Amino acid sequence: MAVPSSGELSLFKTALEMEFNDYTNTMPYSIYRDSVNGATPVSLTNMSTGAGGFDAINSGSSSKPDGSTPHGMGEFRGYDHDVSALTLLQTITGQQHTSSSATPTTVSINVNAFKGKTVRAVFHYVSGTSFRGDFQLDTIMMPWYGNFFGSGNQWQAMVTGFGGSTFSALQLNPDFTSNGNWETSTNNSSSYTTTTFGSIGTNTGSYGRWVGRSNGTPSGSTGLTSSPFSGMHVYAETSSSGNPNKNFWLRSPEWTHITTQSGNALFYFTYGAYGSNMGTMRVYFLEV
């Protein structure tokens, strides 16, 4: 619930937006003071600059204070502390491959704009009008800078291939330690901020979710079987309640390795879009 865009504003309620993403929260000030903010006075300066225990201002909000003096309450009009800072990287609409044996498409995207930032890769697929719309993803590669087995310091990419003989949603760090798992949406929401996420499984009856599988998808007349989709990958299960116009969100763990070195940081993914009722895929980076 964002700060109102007009009318008189409350300093305390703006603090509740900062703390609970809810300007209309009815918590009494005494409880907030004693239990939430540790008796630290509510300060316009602290809220505007992310000091005194307050989170940094969400850069994804279209209306927000600039953090510079003089600080004013009016700068918070329309501010939404939990709006997602999604940046659209690519849109793919409709069928892109004409047979199950077609060559998949690999996309590379320059993400220099995200150097020095923590991000998630986010895929949002909206299904078409039937089960012939299983979108597939594999070989998702997150950029990092360093030395890889004697290559010298340069921009590299860490691959998520979703397992070998068995499925895995694990994302590795550049040093091959675990960075957490990719996740699928578990509800049908067109908004990232109201989407809930959970683990990716291999049950092909998980309609409306991303599912792990090898050798194509289980439905006829959709899904590639050519490499890398002959091996483990993820796909949007659009059968039954997975269509029409259902929302499939897929997100990476938080990625902190896009450092500020010169050169081009590139994000890669490989996709399959075979089926007469393919929907629309949008690919984002989310600043965290």
Side-chain angles (χ1 to χ4, degrees):
M1 180 67 69
V3 176
S5 58
S6 62
E8 185 176 348
L9 299 182
S10 162
L11 181 66
F12 173 50
K13 286 187 173 295
T14 303
L16 293 174
E17 172 68 24
M18 296 286 291
E19 295 283 3
F20 301 107
N21 308 315
D22 185 4
Y23 184 89
T24 62
N25 191 296
T26 58
M27 175 183 288
Y29 177 74
S30 59
I31 295 177
Y32 172 86
R33 179 195 61 207
D34 297 336
S35 303
V36 178
N37 214 31
T40 302
V42 175
S43 161
L44 178 61
T45 297
N46 286 346
M47 290 192 296
S48 298
T49 59
F54 288 99
D55 293 337
I57 292 295
N58 185 347
S59 61
S61 178
S62 58
S63 300
K64 55 187 175 292
D66 60 15
S68 61
T69 56
H71 305 292
M73 280 298 300
E75 296 180 39
F76 276 97
R77 293 191 188 281
Y79 175 67
D80 191 345
H81 190 58
D82 67 338
V83 68
S84 64
L86 287 169
T87 299
L88 181 65
L89 303 178
Q90 182 91 12
T91 301
I92 303 162
T93 301
Q95 179 170 257
Q96 303 295 312
H97 306 104
T98 56
S99 72
S100 62
S101 59
T103 301
T105 301
T106 297
V107 176
S108 65
I109 301 172
N110 185 305
V111 291
N112 285 346
F114 299 92
K115 286 183 177 180
K117 299 178 180 179
T118 299
V119 301
R120 290 183 189 267
V122 177
F123 295 84
H124 178 208
Y125 179 62
V126 179
S127 63
T129 56
S130 85
F131 65 88
R132 299 183 184 90
D134 292 350
F135 198 100
Q136 297 164 287
L137 287 167
D138 198 14
T139 320
I140 305 173
M141 304 171 70
M142 301 293 285
W144 65 282
Y145 186 90
N147 187 336
F148 185 73
F149 289 103
S151 66
N153 286 331
Q154 58 182 307
W155 281 102
Q156 320 271 1
M158 180 57 67
V159 180
T160 295
F162 297 106
S165 58
T166 58
F167 176 76
S168 171
L170 179 65
Q171 168 76 65
L172 294 175
N173 287 308
D175 63 359
F176 293 96
T177 58
S178 171
N179 188 50
N181 292 312
W182 285 76
E183 296 177 310
T184 177
S185 53
T186 58
N187 64 329
N188 177 36
S189 174
S190 61
S191 170
Y192 179 85
T193 57
T194 56
T195 296
T196 56
F197 288 90
S199 59
I200 303 171
T202 56
N203 180 2
T204 57
S206 298
Y207 309 126
R209 296 191 183 188
W210 290 93
V211 176
R213 182 179 168 87
S214 62
N215 197 33
T217 73
S219 296
S221 303
T222 186
L224 300 183
T225 56
S226 47
S227 179
F229 298 115
S230 53
M232 287 292 176
H233 62 281
V234 292
Y235 77 98
E237 178 47 82
T238 63
S239 295
S240 188
S241 58
N243 76 83
N245 303 316
K246 296 302 173 63
N247 294 275
F248 297 74
W249 293 87
L250 177 74
R251 71 178 185 182
S252 72
E254 294 182 6
W255 187 253
T256 62
H257 305 292
I258 309 178
T259 47
T260 58
Q261 283 85 356
S262 62
N264 289 324
L266 299 176
F267 167 66
Y268 300 87
F269 62 94
T270 298
Y271 74 87
Y274 166 57
S276 58
N277 299 115
M278 298 302 300
T280 297
M281 167 63 80
R282 292 180 175 87
V283 186
Y284 303 91
F285 261 19
L286 170 69
E287 292 183 36
V288 180

